[in-house]
Amino acid sequence: MRRPVICFLLLALFLTGCAAPTDPDTAQESIQVIAMDTAMLITTYGEHSVPAAYACEDTIRDLEKQLSRTDPDSEVSRLNNAGGEAVEVGEDLYFLLHEAACLSAETAGAFDLTVAPVVSAWGFAGGEEYRVPSQEELDRLLELVDYNAVYDRYIIPPTDPPKAAIGPGQAIDLGGVAKGYAADKIMEVLQEYEVPRANISLGGNVLVWGGRPDGTPWRVGVQDPARPEDKNAFAGVLALTDSFAVTSGGYQRYFEENGTRYHHIIDPATGYPADSGLTSVTVVADCHDKNAGSGDPYPGTMCDAFSTALFIMGEERALDFWKTWEGTPFELVLVTEDDRVIVTGGLADRFTLDESSGYAYETVS
Ligand code: AMP
Ligand code: MG
């Protein structure tokens, strides 16, 4: 007696499944990925949302395998251990080396891809203990920090397969751009799978694609650097569509010794964690400003390098840099140690201060 009921239910389910075409706004996949030392959340919409989300994950894992400093088999590790000899690299590392060397030059070495030996000495490369290196050790290691050596050794045109070299004794650290570059590549995946909207959060690197299903912009919180333990404590919220928003801050990774806090963003001018008066820098750019072949940096990679560099530069130099930059446009949210939030003109109508944060709000143009 029960069988016809089950058959009827199955038939009803089957019919419902067939009858309702996938609604691009409601079809959604959300996956968490732990990679590149951080928890990432990938949310895609549209009829291909499921394969698209997993293709994004594949992109991240593939890049991590090439760019990790802790994996001894990664291409970056092989390059770092080659004693200055040229080694075969994949297309991503070949391309990213050039991007990172150019971005190092453009930020006058505030971002410097060869800062790796100093990052390691502090224990921020992973695998080592955190410690405060002696000034003597830092001075010795700082002699190896020179992005020009990578630039000078860059092999153009690429061989087949491409090869790359760095200076003897040098090592590279792409931790300051890898997630931004991953976001640039994820954008290609979203296009390939015709994803109408997505929210990709790679630690401090966010890519919002399209708007929310109700047509309004995505809301991207700028974490309050003074309350890092509370992930829901924001300095303010950005209303964004089709944008990269990348945040760097000393609160993201640090250790304490004898009452002093040491964070992971190293000023190549001193060898010490940057002490510029800023507690975080968020860089925002339009994600479609990707002019392949134009010589301009990819916008996600650019935002990532600039967030690290401008955090080191401090308020005055960072704002000068923003005013005089002639490449792909970007905007800024700076949070200062003396409790101010400074927002550049292009974001003024897209940023809402969180009143409970207690920050004073300023705009600059
Ligand atoms: P981000 O979170 O993007 O600001 O990147 C910080 C990471 O970049 C650190 O964990 C280091 O791996 C690396 N890094 C630290 N200081 C610098 C620097 N001055 N230039 C380039 N990379 C850096
Ligand atoms: Mg960065």
Side-chain angles (χ1 to χ4, degrees):
M1 282 303 287
R2 296 175 64 186
R3 191 173 252 183
V5 178
I6 291 170
C7 286
F8 175 77
L9 282 175
L10 284 175
L11 185 66
L13 275 174
F14 178 71
L15 285 176
T16 327
C18 289
T22 314
D23 178 346
D25 283 341
T26 53
Q28 175 194 341
E29 180 68 357
S30 211
I31 58 171
Q32 202 187 32
V33 177
I34 308 290
M36 298 184 174
D37 250 352
T38 193
M40 305 176 166
L41 190 62
I42 295 166
T43 305
T44 49
Y45 291 78
E47 47 183 323
H48 308 301
S49 55
V50 176
Y54 287 98
C56 292
E57 177 179 5
D58 289 347
T59 299
I60 294 164
R61 297 216 182 277
D62 181 45
L63 281 175
E64 185 179 36
K65 230 183 263 166
Q66 298 173 55
L67 306 180
S68 163
R69 279 190 73 195
T70 44
D71 174 357
D73 296 325
S74 76
E75 289 181 12
V76 162
S77 295
R78 283 198 288 113
L79 187 60
N80 285 346
N81 294 327
E85 296 295 317
V87 298
E88 284 178 10
V89 294
E91 278 171 25
D92 286 308
L93 180 55
Y94 179 78
F95 174 77
L96 195 50
L97 271 176
H98 187 256
E99 290 277 286
C102 291
L103 288 160
S104 301
E106 275 151 358
T107 60
F111 177 90
D112 190 321
L113 80 163
T114 63
V115 78
V118 184
V119 172
S120 298
W122 286 94
F124 287 118
E128 308 102 344
E129 295 278 297
Y130 289 135
R131 68 186 180 90
V132 181
S134 69
Q135 192 61 52
E136 197 191 5
E137 181 181 3
L138 287 176
D139 289 344
R140 186 170 44 79
L141 295 175
L142 281 171
E143 283 177 22
L144 299 168
V145 179
D146 175 15
Y147 60 85
N148 284 304
V150 176
Y151 204 87
D152 293 346
R153 285 170 175 76
Y154 196 68
I155 299 166
I156 303 177
T159 51
D160 183 19
K163 284 188 169 184
I166 56 178
Q170 281 195 311
I172 54 160
D173 183 333
L174 297 171
V177 279
K179 288 186 227 125
Y181 182 63
D184 279 318
K185 295 212 65 169
I186 281 176
M187 222 184 81
E188 290 171 12
V189 173
L190 299 178
Q191 276 163 333
E192 187 189 331
Y193 284 84
E194 297 173 351
V195 171
R197 62 194 79 250
N199 188 320
I200 312 289
S201 175
L202 314 179
N205 287 241
V206 175
L207 162 61
V208 287
W209 180 249
R212 290 199 294 191
D214 66 2
T216 60
W218 294 100
R219 292 166 58 77
V220 179
V222 176
Q223 171 80 43
D224 182 354
R227 295 178 284 167
E229 62 295 332
D230 180 356
K231 293 287 169 238
N232 294 314
F234 300 114
V237 175
L238 286 160
L240 299 174
T241 49
D242 290 321
S243 301
F244 293 106
V246 180
T247 301
S248 285
Y251 65 90
Q252 290 171 341
R253 190 190 290 188
Y254 60 85
F255 68 94
E256 283 177 347
E257 196 172 293
N258 298 329
T260 305
R261 184 180 281 199
Y262 300 96
H263 63 71
H264 69 308
I265 304 176
I266 304 297
D267 183 348
T270 62
Y272 260 71
D275 182 16
S276 67
L278 294 177
T279 51
S280 84
V281 172
T282 300
V283 182
V284 177
D286 185 322
C287 68
H288 293 293
D289 275 342
K290 184 170 178 175
N291 305 316
S294 69
D296 283 346
Y298 279 18
T301 312
M302 177 190 83
C303 288
D304 200 353
F306 285 0
S307 69
T308 309
L310 273 55
F311 178 83
I312 293 165
M313 290 183 193
E315 175 181 343
E316 200 178 324
R317 275 180 70 202
L319 291 176
D320 270 356
F321 186 87
W322 170 73
K323 278 182 194 148
T324 52
W325 174 250
E326 287 176 348
T328 304
F330 69 89
E331 302 291 337
L332 295 172
V333 179
L334 309 179
V335 186
T336 71
E337 244 164 39
D338 60 1
D339 294 338
R340 290 172 300 129
V341 174
I342 303 158
V343 174
T344 55
L347 286 181
D349 59 354
R350 291 188 271 161
F351 181 82
T352 309
L353 187 76
D354 184 326
E355 297 295 343
S356 74
S357 68
Y359 289 113
Y361 177 61
E362 297 171 16
T363 54
V364 290
S365 49

